[in-house]
Amino acid sequence: MEIHQLRYVCAIADTGSFSRAAERCQVAQPSLSQQVLKLEEDLGSKLFDRLGRSVRLTEAGRAFLPHARSILSQMETARSSVADKWTDVRGSVSVGVIPTIAPYLMPRYTKTFAKKYPEAKLRIVEETTPILIEGLRDLSIDLAILALPLRHKDLELFPLCTEPLFAVLPKDHPRAAAESLALKDLRGESFVMLRDGHCFRDLSIAACTRARVAPRIAFESGQFSSLFGMVAAGVGISLVPEMAIDRNAGCRYVRLSDTRATRTVVAAILRGRSFNRVQQAFLAGIKD
C-alpha cells in the first residue's frame, strides 16, 4: 500500500470520476487507474464500481475511505511538524567560543542575531579549544568559533577572518615607535604569554619557533588584559591578535612583518549534522 494510492482513492471519491481525480492529482489517468487496480488487488476487494461513466464506492470502499483520509491527514501533520521545527524562529542555538575571541567578536554577532531573531534563545559557552571540540562531538553545543590550526576530520570549518599579529611593547621599548618589526628582532626578550590550554599560546610559540626565537616566559595568565598590564609594567613583551588590541592599556602595538604571523578564525560544526533554521541563521550571520 502506497501513500499516492490512498491519495488517488480519496480524489476519486471526492470527484466521482477517474479523469477528474487524475487532473487533481496531476497524473495521467491510465497511471492512476493502474495504481487503484493494484491497491484493490492488494486488498483483495474492489473499492469502486465502474458504472459506465460514473464511479461509485463499494461497501468495501466506504469502509476503507475514512482510514485512507486519516492516514493522509496524519502524514500531513507529520510533514508540518518537521516543517515547523525547521522554520521555528523560537528555537535555540548553543555557541562555543574560545576566550581569545569571545570578548571581541561575540558582542557584535549576538547583537545582530538578537535583533533579527528576538524569540530565539542564544547560549554562549566560553572555553578552550579541546573542551569545545568535545562539546561539538557530544552535541552539547551546535557550533564553535575557534582558531586554526585544527586537524579534526570530523569537523567542517568555515573561515571567518584572518588577522595579523602584533608585538605588545612597553611605551619606552626601543622598538615601540617602529611601524613593523620581525620576531627575530625580539630575541633575548622576556615574554608574558597566555598559559597552556589556550590555542593562541600555541600560535605564539609556533611563530617564535619559525623565527628561531626562544621566549623566556616571565608571566602567564588566562587573559590578555593581565598580559597588557605586565607589559606596561615592564615585566616582558607579548604577542596579540589584532582584534584584541587595547589602546588604553598603556602599551605600544607594533605589527609583525613575518608573513605567517597571522591568526585565522573559523566557525566549526560537526560534519554531517543537521541544523534548524535558528542554528543555520546564526552560522550564516557570522559568515557574512
Side-chain angles (χ1 to χ4, degrees):
M1 189 181 300
E2 303 289 342
I3 294 299
H4 63 273
Q5 293 173 335
L6 303 183
R7 190 174 294 111
Y8 296 164
V9 168
C10 292
I12 296 167
D14 290 342
T15 62
S17 165
F18 275 72
S19 60
R20 288 194 294 272
E23 290 177 5
R24 173 189 285 191
C25 297
Q26 297 183 327
V27 64
Q29 182 177 334
S31 177
L32 179 141
S33 298
Q34 183 180 15
Q35 288 297 317
V36 173
L37 284 172
K38 183 180 178 183
L39 176 60
E40 289 176 327
E41 290 173 2
D42 290 342
L43 293 172
S45 182
K46 289 181 63 176
L47 299 176
F48 297 99
D49 283 327
R50 286 79 165 170
L51 306 173
R53 293 187 177 182
S54 65
V55 178
R56 187 170 58 187
L57 283 165
T58 65
E59 185 176 346
R62 289 193 295 272
F64 180 79
L65 184 63
H67 299 290
R69 294 194 193 281
S70 176
I71 292 171
L72 292 176
S73 176
Q74 291 178 46
M75 287 292 297
E76 186 58 34
T77 300
R79 183 181 293 109
S80 297
S81 68
V82 172
D84 290 344
K85 182 67 174 178
W86 182 255
T87 59
D88 187 5
V89 295
R90 296 168 299 173
S92 63
V93 56
S94 181
V95 181
V97 58
I98 55 178
T100 57
I101 293 176
Y104 314 109
L105 285 188
M106 293 312 295
R108 172 163 54 91
Y109 289 157
T110 55
K111 181 179 180 179
T112 302
F113 180 77
K115 184 176 181 180
K116 191 170 183 180
Y117 296 93
E119 295 186 49
K121 294 181 180 179
L122 174 61
R123 172 176 170 261
I124 300 174
V125 178
E126 183 180 293
E127 270 295 355
T128 57
T129 297
I131 294 176
L132 293 181
I133 289 174
E134 287 307 307
L136 291 173
R137 289 171 174 163
D138 66 22
L139 306 184
S140 61
I141 59 173
D142 301 313
L143 62 97
I145 301 177
L146 309 170
L148 297 182
L150 292 167
R151 299 179 178 88
H152 304 82
K153 294 182 179 180
D154 58 342
L155 300 184
E156 186 173 359
L157 307 179
F158 303 90
L160 302 181
C161 65
T162 297
E163 58 179 342
L165 305 188
F166 285 71
V168 189
L169 309 174
K171 288 183 176 180
D172 58 356
H173 192 279
R175 303 302 301 270
E179 291 187 4
S180 66
L181 59 82
L183 263 172
K184 64 181 181 180
D185 299 330
L186 300 177
R187 287 176 185 154
E189 297 275 3
S190 294
F191 279 73
V192 296
M193 285 191 172
L194 294 176
R195 64 171 64 100
D196 284 334
H198 290 271
C199 59
F200 188 77
R201 177 194 174 96
D202 298 334
L203 190 67
S204 299
I205 295 294
C208 289
T209 300
R210 287 194 303 270
R212 298 182 180 180
V213 173
R216 293 185 288 108
I217 300 175
F219 175 76
E220 296 176 311
S221 176
Q223 302 179 48
F224 281 128
S225 58
S226 297
L227 300 185
F228 296 158
M230 290 300 178
V231 171
V235 175
I237 65 171
S238 191
L239 302 179
V240 66
E242 184 176 33
M243 72 172 64
I245 288 176
D246 181 359
R247 299 294 180 185
N248 298 315
C251 305
R252 291 285 186 264
Y253 304 92
V254 182
R255 182 168 178 168
L256 296 179
S257 59
D258 309 61
T259 57
R260 295 173 63 186
T262 60
R263 177 173 77 161
T264 298
V265 178
V266 301
I269 65 173
L270 189 65
R271 191 177 298 278
R273 179 176 176 181
S274 297
F275 273 12
N276 63 30
R277 185 182 177 188
V278 172
Q279 294 159 347
Q280 277 202 332
F282 189 89
L283 179 59
I286 64 177
K287 287 164 58 180
D288 288 343

